[in-house]
Amino acid sequence: MPGMDTRGRRPRRDETDAHHQGLPLCDPGERQPGGSPVRIGALAPLTRPGWAEAGRHLLAGLELAVRDVNDAGGIVGRPVELVVRDTAADPRRAAAAVDELAGLGVAAVAGEYHSVVARAAAVRADALGLPFLCSSAVLDALTEQPTPWVARLAPPQSRGWRLYADFLLSEGHSRIAVATEPSVYWASGVRLLRDHLAPYGGTVVELDMRALTPTAVCDELADHRATALLLLVGHPEPAVPIVESVRRDRRLAGMTIGAPAGQPEFAGWATSLGEDGAGIPFLRYLPERLTPLGARVGTALRERLAEAPSFVAFEGYDTVAVLSGVLRSSGADRTRTAASWPCVAVEGTRGPIRFSRVPGISVWQWGGAPVQVVDRDPAQPGRFRVLRTG
């Protein structure tokens, strides 16, 4: 049965953290040359209300990496097969997909973009004893308790959003308004911003978009004398109408609009807003320079997507690059795979990837993931400007 060891029981957490039936950590295990494909489950938001554009980029990266792995001989001679499931930004659908994929015998599950959805997938994978490598979601608490089964490539939200708060302070903003919708992810972001800004005299005012129209948001911004508005809402609705209203309100000339969750990264943002979508700082997880592998992958992704690849596409590629290395050493055994996270040493598209235990984070975490604050250049909206790194 999936998640069981050879004695018919699920291994204890300490076994996956240290040893598996007497084998040392990162033991390569049995080799199985040739034979059936190594199946990897892939979760991505491919339809609405999920952010389908992000899901498409994530899947493009995953698929390109699978092609490259198979062209290089697969996993010890066995081809990799991606088994894709659309989460549509629904946590329950994601959890059900993890159950299904476990039953299909996948060696591991990978992917997902939306943090709340990834958390549901991570919790279910932990319960089943199924390795899960989260590609892009950043919510700090992916699981309630520390788990050996889950690892993550994207930096935790606390790291990225604190960098973003530092950027706001450096730009002279201390009266911040946030247009927000109900979500654990958005609520966590507001808390991080408030806690980081408070010692410097910064304040955060929440504007509940369940009760406000975009025009009413402008009235609130004027009343509170906010100098920056952060969009902690979905795209395109209500983010696009809010931006349009703020840009056209003379009272708010000079208002900084920000989108820390990364909406302006994608071409759909520029298509919807044109020049209005420029000059809106967001978080992006790319280095100043890609690795040589990253440069080659970027060219291939551009051809596959017929547009510039986002950081999410590179996260997808790195996900399979990591898993293929882990599965070569673990023999696609789930318990050995989970025990291998701390032994990962992979040259990814954005730098060398290693996992460690980070204080306050319940999963194995790539501590070296790059973080930037970026915007689209108002003089040339198709070009990105790096405003801060960390």
Side-chain angles (χ1 to χ4, degrees):
M1 292 179 62
M4 296 294 184
D5 68 13
T6 56
R7 291 167 291 189
R9 64 172 178 81
R10 191 182 148 191
R12 301 192 311 271
R13 291 172 186 267
D14 59 342
E15 290 177 323
T16 57
D17 269 333
H19 300 281
H20 171 57
Q21 299 179 41
L23 293 172
L25 192 69
C26 307
D27 185 280
E30 283 187 34
R31 300 289 182 173
Q32 300 180 36
S36 60
V38 177
R39 308 181 85 189
I40 297 175
L43 305 177
L46 300 175
T47 56
R48 301 288 299 165
W51 196 342
E53 190 174 11
R56 184 170 67 89
H57 279 236
L58 177 60
L59 185 58
L62 293 167
E63 290 177 337
L64 178 62
V66 166
R67 188 198 72 180
D68 287 355
V69 169
N70 286 337
D71 286 349
I75 305 294
V76 196
R78 299 171 64 189
V80 176
E81 178 183 313
L82 209 59
V83 185
V84 180
R85 293 294 180 267
D86 174 19
T87 64
D90 185 336
R92 290 173 297 182
R93 186 165 171 171
V98 172
D99 280 340
E100 180 195 1
L101 291 166
L104 291 173
V106 300
V109 174
E112 193 45 47
Y113 175 80
H114 296 287
S115 280
V116 175
V117 180
R119 185 175 68 163
V123 168
R124 193 66 194 135
D126 176 54
L128 294 173
L130 178 62
F132 172 40
L133 179 53
C134 180
S135 301
S136 195
V138 300
L139 192 67
D140 280 32
L142 275 183
T143 56
E144 295 295 332
Q145 301 295 330
T147 172
W149 297 101
V150 182
R152 173 169 53 192
L153 285 173
Q157 186 182 19
S158 54
R159 180 180 161 212
W161 286 52
R162 286 168 184 156
L163 177 72
Y164 197 90
D166 285 336
F167 165 76
L168 292 173
L169 289 169
S170 71
E171 294 293 303
H173 297 294
S174 60
R175 300 177 69 85
I176 315 297
V178 294
T180 188
E181 295 174 315
S183 164
V184 172
Y185 174 62
W186 299 130
S188 174
V190 171
R191 184 171 60 253
L192 287 166
L193 291 168
R194 182 172 281 128
D195 290 348
H196 197 71
L197 294 169
Y200 303 94
T203 60
V204 177
V205 175
E206 294 185 59
L207 306 179
D208 187 348
M209 293 312 301
R210 293 173 298 178
L212 297 172
T213 64
T215 300
V217 168
C218 294
D219 295 335
E220 292 287 331
L221 293 173
D223 289 346
H224 288 288
R225 292 180 295 149
T227 61
L229 168 67
L230 306 187
L231 303 172
L232 310 191
V233 293
H235 173 265
E237 297 288 340
V240 169
I242 293 172
V243 172
E244 291 173 336
S245 292
V246 172
R247 293 294 200 212
R248 285 157 180 70
D249 194 311
R250 293 181 180 179
R251 297 172 298 172
L252 305 177
M255 170 72 64
T256 291
I257 304 175
Q263 297 95 324
E265 167 80 358
F266 296 95
W269 176 270
T271 300
S272 298
L273 285 164
E275 293 182 357
D276 283 347
I280 296 180
F282 64 94
L283 287 168
R284 182 172 73 166
Y285 308 123
L286 288 178
E288 183 178 354
R289 289 184 179 83
L290 294 167
T291 66
L293 170 65
R296 177 182 66 79
V297 167
T299 299
L301 285 169
R302 182 181 289 271
E303 293 175 359
R304 182 175 286 257
L305 290 163
E307 63 185 23
S310 69
F311 68 84
V312 180
F314 290 100
E315 288 174 327
Y317 190 97
D318 285 341
T319 298
V320 171
V322 168
L323 279 178
S324 63
V326 169
L327 294 173
R328 285 189 186 98
S329 66
S330 69
D333 176 274
R334 291 176 178 176
T335 302
R336 286 193 177 97
T337 296
S340 296
W341 298 130
C343 305
V344 166
V346 172
E347 186 63 29
T349 62
R350 298 165 297 142
I353 298 172
R354 294 180 178 272
F355 295 109
S356 62
R357 289 296 190 184
V358 175
I361 306 301
S362 60
V363 302
W364 288 101
Q365 176 70 52
W366 179 24
V371 184
Q372 301 173 329
V373 179
V374 178
D375 72 357
R376 289 181 175 271
D377 188 344
Q380 190 178 344
R383 187 175 76 88
F384 293 106
R385 304 183 301 181
V386 177
L387 308 175
R388 194 178 185 93
T389 61

